[in-house]
Amino acid sequence: MLKKLPATAMVAVLAAALMASGTTVSAAPTVHQAESAALSGGARTETEHAGYTGSGYVGGFTDANRGAAALTVTTSGSAAGANRLVLRYANGTGGARTVTLAVNGGTRQLSLPATAGWASWGTVSQDVTLNAGANTLAVRYGTNDNGNVNLDSLSVEPVAPAAGVVEAESGTLSGGARTESEHAGHTGSGYVGGFVDANRGAAATFGISSTATKASLTLRYANGTGSPRSMSVTVNGAAQQVSLPATASWSEWTTASVAVTTVVGSNTIAISFGANDNGNVNLDSVALAPDTTTPTPEGTTELESGFLDGGAVTTSTAGATGTGAVSLPGAGARVIRTINQTAAGTATITLRYTASANGTVTSYVNGVKGAQLSLTGGSGWRTVTHTAALRAGLNIVGYQNAAGAQVDNMAVTGSAALDARGATVPFTTYEAEAATTTGTRLTAGRKYTTDVAEASGRSAVKLTGTGQHVQITLTKPANALTVRASVPDGTTAPLAVYAGSTKVADLQLTSKYSWMYGAYPFAEGPGGVRPHRYFDDARVLLPQTYPAGTVIRLAKDTSASAYITVDLLDAEVTTATTAPAGYVDVRTHGANPGDGADDSAGIRAAVAAAQGTAAKGVWLPAGSYNLNSIVNVSGVDVRGAGIWHTVLNGAGRRGGFAITGAGSTIADLAFDGDVTTRDPDDAPNSDSFVEVESGSGSTVFNVATNHAKTGLWLKQADGFYAAGLRVRNTMADGLNVNGNNGPTNNVRVEQSTFRNTGDDGMAMWSWNPKSAVSRSVFAFNTISLPILANGAAIYGGTDNRIEDSLISDTVFNGAGAMVSSWHDAKPFGGTTAVQRTTFTRTGTRNWDWDTHTGAVWLFAEKSDITGALVVRDLDITDSSYHGMLFSWNKAITNVTADNVKINGTGGATDAFTDDKGVAVSNAGSHGMHFNLVTGTGRFDRVTVTGVKGTGSQGMANDQNRFTVQRGTGNSGW
């Protein structure tokens, strides 16, 4: 009989076993006791046999319950990518038994060797790929199993298998892919079959660690069909086809290799029977190895995937790497790329170029003019090297003003990969509900007018008693904290910050910028209907940098408020930047931080003085300034010491910048307004942080805004670039790109975060009386918790895109992403795309229209949508109601949907009656809902799983008005 181990000892045993096997454990396992899982089909808690952990084990996996008995657990806070599952069991039958493991719907069979008896317990492990956050894990007595075992626990830990051979049967299998062992010659415990015509879309997915950005992926396979077959290889979202020649028989195995681009660290790799493949092969293993045949310089970044402006265009010149190069034809032409540095310091940058004649190109680093590089003319590709001082984390590097040169790529020493989706940010977010607390973890919910509906992840921690706290352990060093919290209306209160046992600061919390009431524009007073907007941010610089492992405690140490609800904490290390050479110091023109006076006139004077200098730059040293009115900027760089160090405070609902001319830059500062109410549409009386009146060739980089009307309102530009924005707690849109002053083209906003915006997080609005927005893109952004409307939206225009982003937790009357002719939008032209984006807990209930919305909402409101509309490579997870909604009473005539995974609809399980007396539930939450809309669309590889709610379907097509063209690889609808 095994001695019962405490939970901590069991974790140590599992970790030791894994380390002995040569696998690095990246975090302690999370142990799910079997008896605490959801049990079904005859599975039941038992305590008859000794040696179990927890309060018992689960039995009932008997022949009478074959095909039914199951235990199911849902993870919360799982690490995305490769994870190891360890199942603890007892098998006293004397022979090996099998059960089925299901991971988010994908299944595989586990073999459980016999143990010494029913009181002896063993473990088996499987490496699987999990989603970030919630995952559904089940162990079942399947119809093809022989069961008759007892199950004690299931532990989960993130782990990245080293590059090398990975058995196919260890992957996450979906779409009909399954473990088999019929044919001899395989390695491991079997191989993966099921890649047959009936299962087009079947896939095996792996999380594999790479040490290089260029690698070779080798597939070991059998193809007994007698002719070449093809499969799709997808690495971190990038897909390509691989040809697999025939083998002599199904028991003969061979290999095929394909060059892939990886990131250093964990990679998601899928082998699938794609829409254009002919499949029908068996897969034995995959192997990932660095590609050393053509060594890639450290930190190589392709420039053709950057922001191009001023006449810069992509070219397909022979010998260019990646997908091409960038032609810089003359003055004003520029290319900008984002770079992620692992540490601050001087980096060496090697630029690969070709030029027909000798010339120069000017480098720009984080928007500041840098070295002018000499280019040697002639045939073929050359390199030129320069150095630059880069900050830790996000940097932007650009090249401009090169007559007749083409630039291919740049290699930056010390750089790391950017995040595959969403913004690459310097802070780490810790969710309060996942922390240690003496307060109350709030039950998750999504009902509008409740605080949890506006909490990140839909839960938070409420501190009601003096001395109650929530605490986290830093996983990275930090000297700056931002806390999202809520206090009662009409309240100010301190929230104590402790590092270890020492109090180091008080965060000053206020309800001034929260608590709104009534219907739009939310102008009712306290106690009105529809209370909402509960949370606000408070931030503090700590007295020192605390190392990883430090316990940070947030405590309600006073009775100043009845409660403090803590949602999350962002922690980071911040360092002040220094003044670029030749910049005009605002203090020389009367703008003195900390003196309590309005500094607007002094900053204006500095901007005017900078116009006559070579640098054309204005410097705002570290400190707190009062900016009580708008400062116009034209052709000048206005720059501070960083968003934690140079802070501009608005007053009287006013303050901010207006970019009124080309070639302007605003960077490295924060603006904190004092806007507390939403302006009526016909009576604006507050300012945006940055309003772009005419901003061609302009840049906004590494800025933060809080409590402004909007973050950025862009009225006209032909080429405008923004990156590194932190937009928080606006009363209206986080960012709105429109054509109110003239045609707006070629705008790119990337690597930015938006939270708690009062309307759309990000919007492109081609308003019909004005000009259109064209060829613009929102990319690599993270958008969460818009209080009203959508995470991101495109209202009319031509060739615009939302892509490579993370959108989560929409609150009221909106979707994760909307494409619509609403708001008097101009017609759509070209191709409008929503692609390579993850939606989590998005879509809402529209209380005004008594309808459900979707994570993705295609809405023909004012007029038909006839331009090409593409939605592809989307992961839609745990939608509150619909996955995708197409509406309403007009036509959407040219839709292409490809590789859209809808996993879970109807996640808003709380039923309630709204303030009009309408009963609301998750009934009728469809994977796709064609709501009285006409038109046509082709759908390939669209999968729907996990539909919740009475009457919910994989697809609902009202009156069959919409013509659905079914392609290949679809399932669940």
Side-chain angles (χ1 to χ4, degrees):
M1 173 177 171
L2 294 176
K3 181 179 179 181
K4 182 177 178 181
L5 296 173
T8 54
M10 183 175 181
V11 168
V13 168
L14 290 170
L18 289 171
M19 284 189 285
S21 70
T23 299
T24 300
V25 179
S26 56
T30 300
V31 178
H32 300 273
Q33 292 294 338
E35 66 274 14
S36 299
L39 307 181
S40 58
R44 58 183 179 269
T45 300
E46 298 177 352
T47 57
E48 176 184 359
H49 303 294
Y52 56 81
T53 61
S55 60
Y57 58 86
V58 172
F61 285 81
T62 58
D63 291 339
N65 297 325
R66 184 194 299 270
L71 67 84
T72 304
V73 300
T74 301
T75 68
S76 61
S78 295
N83 283 255
R84 177 156 296 171
L85 308 186
V86 180
L87 180 66
R88 192 171 191 262
Y89 71 95
N91 170 14
T93 65
R97 314 298 288 184
T98 60
V99 293
T100 294
L101 172 68
V103 179
N104 295 327
T107 61
R108 71 198 64 186
Q109 192 175 66
L110 299 182
S111 179
L112 310 183
T115 55
W118 291 108
S120 293
W121 301 83
T123 61
V124 295
S125 65
Q126 282 283 299
D127 287 349
V128 300
T129 300
L130 297 183
N131 302 319
N135 295 266
T136 301
L137 314 176
V139 183
R140 304 169 182 158
Y141 187 170
T143 55
N144 296 317
D145 298 324
N146 57 6
N148 291 276
V149 294
N150 294 329
L151 306 181
D152 184 39
S153 66
L154 181 67
S155 70
V156 184
E157 62 178 318
V159 56
V165 177
V166 178
E167 293 296 335
E169 63 271 20
S170 71
T172 298
L173 310 183
S174 59
R178 59 183 179 267
T179 300
E180 298 177 350
S181 57
E182 175 186 359
H183 302 295
H186 60 78
T187 59
S189 60
Y191 56 85
V192 173
F195 296 109
V196 295
D197 291 338
N199 295 334
R200 188 178 293 273
T205 305
F206 313 88
I208 306 178
S209 181
S210 177
T211 59
T213 57
K214 294 183 67 176
S216 176
L217 183 69
T218 300
L219 280 58
R220 189 173 193 263
Y221 70 95
N223 170 14
T225 66
S227 62
R229 315 299 288 183
S230 63
M231 295 282 282
S232 291
V233 171
T234 304
V235 179
N236 300 326
Q240 59 181 302
Q241 192 175 68
V242 58
S243 178
L244 306 177
T247 56
S249 70
W250 289 108
S251 297
E252 298 291 331
W253 302 83
T254 191
T255 61
S257 297
V258 60
V260 296
T261 299
T262 54
V263 297
V264 176
S266 185
N267 294 263
T268 300
I269 297 175
I271 314 299
S272 61
F273 188 169
N276 298 315
D277 299 327
N278 56 7
N280 292 276
V281 296
N282 292 331
L283 179 66
D284 185 36
S285 66
V286 296
L288 187 68
D291 183 356
T292 58
T293 56
T294 53
T296 300
E298 178 187 4
T300 294
T301 300
E302 295 296 333
L303 292 172
E304 67 272 15
S305 57
F307 171 69
L308 310 183
D309 179 30
V313 294
T314 58
T315 72
S316 56
T317 304
T321 59
T323 59
V326 175
S327 173
L328 300 177
R334 61 174 179 162
V335 56
I336 300 175
R337 265 307 312 252
T338 47
I339 298 295
N340 181 25
Q341 288 299 102
T342 57
T346 299
T348 298
I349 304 176
T350 302
L351 175 68
R352 189 172 191 255
Y353 74 94
T354 184
S356 57
N358 293 346
T360 60
V361 65
T362 303
S363 65
Y364 285 78
V365 176
N366 296 325
V368 178
K369 186 176 181 179
Q372 188 176 69
L373 311 179
S374 296
L375 306 181
T376 303
S379 61
W381 291 95
R382 296 170 169 79
T383 61
V384 61
T385 298
H386 63 108
T387 60
L390 300 182
R391 59 192 66 176
L394 186 70
N395 295 260
I396 58 175
V397 177
Y399 297 96
Q400 189 168 341
N401 301 334
Q406 295 179 19
V407 291
D408 182 26
N409 62 45
M410 60 181 179
V412 184
T413 58
S415 66
L418 295 156
D419 288 349
R421 290 186 180 181
T424 298
V425 297
F427 54 84
T428 301
T429 299
Y430 303 86
E431 293 284 350
E433 66 271 21
T436 301
T437 185
T438 57
T440 302
R441 289 185 177 86
L442 299 182
T443 301
R446 305 189 198 183
K447 177 190 174 184
Y448 183 58
T449 73
T450 63
D451 53 2
V452 290
E454 296 184 19
S456 174
R458 311 295 182 151
S459 184
V461 170
K462 196 167 193 174
L463 309 177
T464 54
T466 301
Q468 286 189 339
H469 68 264
V470 59
Q471 68 182 36
I472 59 97
T473 301
L474 293 176
T475 58
K476 297 179 181 178
N479 66 358
L481 305 179
T482 302
V483 174
R484 187 171 193 259
S486 174
V487 293
D489 198 3
T491 298
T492 59
L495 180 64
V497 180
Y498 290 80
S501 60
T502 303
K503 181 177 177 179
V504 296
D506 273 320
L507 278 160
Q508 299 302 321
L509 308 181
T510 178
S511 64
K512 177 180 179 180
Y513 301 102
S514 49
W515 289 95
M516 301 180 78
Y517 303 88
Y520 179 87
F522 319 122
E524 289 193 24
V529 299
R530 295 191 181 182
H532 66 283
R533 199 176 182 101
Y534 295 94
F535 292 93
D536 191 32
D537 289 354
R539 66 181 200 167
V540 63
L541 277 169
L542 301 178
Q544 67 181 72
T545 298
Y546 294 94
T550 302
V551 173
I552 300 295
R553 185 167 77 250
L554 307 176
K556 181 182 181 295
D557 279 358
T558 76
S559 58
S561 65
Y563 64 82
I564 298 173
T565 302
V566 181
D567 181 27
L568 57 80
L569 181 152
D570 295 331
E572 62 189 295
V573 172
T574 180
T575 303
T577 60
T578 57
Y583 276 43
V584 175
D585 190 321
V586 296
R587 294 174 298 185
T588 64
H589 292 271
N592 296 304
D595 65 1
D598 181 9
D599 297 299
S600 303
I603 297 173
R604 284 192 199 95
V607 170
Q611 292 280 9
T613 67
K616 290 192 175 183
V618 172
W619 173 247
L620 288 94
S624 179
Y625 299 81
N626 294 327
L627 186 64
N628 298 354
S629 58
I630 292 294
V631 171
N632 292 340
V633 179
S634 177
V636 170
D637 180 357
V638 177
R639 185 174 297 265
I643 64 174
W644 281 91
H645 304 281
T646 297
V647 179
L648 309 173
N649 298 290
R653 305 171 64 84
R654 300 297 183 181
F657 294 97
I659 293 178
T660 58
S664 306
T665 299
I666 298 172
D668 291 337
L669 51 81
F671 175 78
D672 195 354
D674 71 340
V675 183
T676 59
T677 58
R678 175 72 183 253
D679 289 349
D681 290 341
D682 57 350
N685 65 351
S686 57
D687 291 332
S688 299
F689 163 43
V690 177
E691 185 164 291
V692 182
E693 303 284 348
S694 178
S696 297
S698 295
T699 301
V700 177
F701 172 65
N702 192 43
V703 298
T705 183
N706 204 21
H707 308 137
K709 176 184 177 180
T710 66
L712 276 75
W713 190 270
L714 197 157
K715 293 182 177 181
Q716 190 281 322
D718 186 358
F720 178 90
Y721 179 75
L725 312 182
R726 297 192 205 183
V727 178
R728 304 285 187 269
N729 308 308
T730 58
M731 284 295 149
D733 293 347
L735 176 144
N736 190 299
V737 177
N738 54 73
N740 287 4
N741 281 12
T744 298
N745 309 308
N746 190 29
V747 173
R748 184 177 180 91
V749 182
E750 66 177 335
Q751 299 296 346
S752 297
T753 62
F754 299 79
R755 187 168 70 207
N756 205 50
T757 57
D759 214 305
D760 291 319
M762 307 180 74
M764 299 182 205
W765 182 24
S766 297
W767 184 28
N768 193 50
K770 302 295 182 178
S771 300
V773 178
S774 301
R775 303 187 307 280
S776 295
V777 60
F778 298 153
F780 297 101
N781 298 300
T782 298
I783 308 164
S784 63
L785 295 156
I787 298 302
L788 173 68
N790 311 284
I794 301 175
Y795 302 107
T798 300
D799 289 323
N800 298 312
R801 311 192 308 272
I802 299 166
E803 60 193 23
D804 302 303
S805 293
L806 300 175
I807 303 177
S808 63
D809 293 323
T810 50
V811 175
F812 182 56
N813 283 12
M818 171 183 275
V819 177
S820 178
S821 58
W822 199 9
H823 301 305
D824 202 19
K826 284 181 174 294
F828 284 89
T831 299
T832 303
V834 180
Q835 57 192 359
R836 299 187 304 276
T837 292
T838 299
F839 300 88
T840 306
R841 298 178 299 273
T842 53
T844 61
R845 175 70 178 185
N846 190 309
W847 286 32
D848 298 331
W849 297 349
D850 300 330
T851 59
H852 296 335
T853 66
V856 175
W857 187 3
L858 312 181
F859 181 23
E861 192 266 353
K862 174 191 174 185
S863 59
D864 297 342
I865 298 176
T866 58
L869 200 162
V870 174
V871 289
R872 61 186 166 210
D873 301 324
L874 305 182
D875 292 288
I876 299 174
T877 302
D878 193 17
S879 293
S880 293
Y881 297 101
H882 303 309
M884 291 198 293
L885 172 64
F886 301 70
S887 66
W888 186 82
N889 264 333
K890 289 186 173 62
I892 306 174
T893 60
N894 190 2
V895 177
T896 299
D898 183 32
N899 193 31
V900 178
K901 299 178 178 64
I902 302 172
N903 181 12
T905 64
T909 56
D910 33 357
F912 57 90
T913 300
D914 69 18
D915 58 358
K916 296 186 297 182
V918 176
V920 178
S921 74
N922 64 350
S925 296
H926 309 304
M928 292 187 292
H929 187 196
F930 299 93
N931 179 211
L932 297 175
V933 64
T934 59
T936 59
R938 178 181 171 92
F939 297 78
D940 290 274
R941 298 187 296 165
V942 177
T943 60
V944 179
T945 58
V947 174
K948 301 185 183 75
T950 303
S952 300
Q953 305 171 48
M955 179 187 75
N957 190 352
D958 297 347
Q959 302 175 11
N960 288 319
R961 290 188 182 185
F962 193 87
T963 300
V964 176
Q965 300 170 345
R966 289 179 177 267
T968 60
N970 300 305
S971 65
W973 57 281

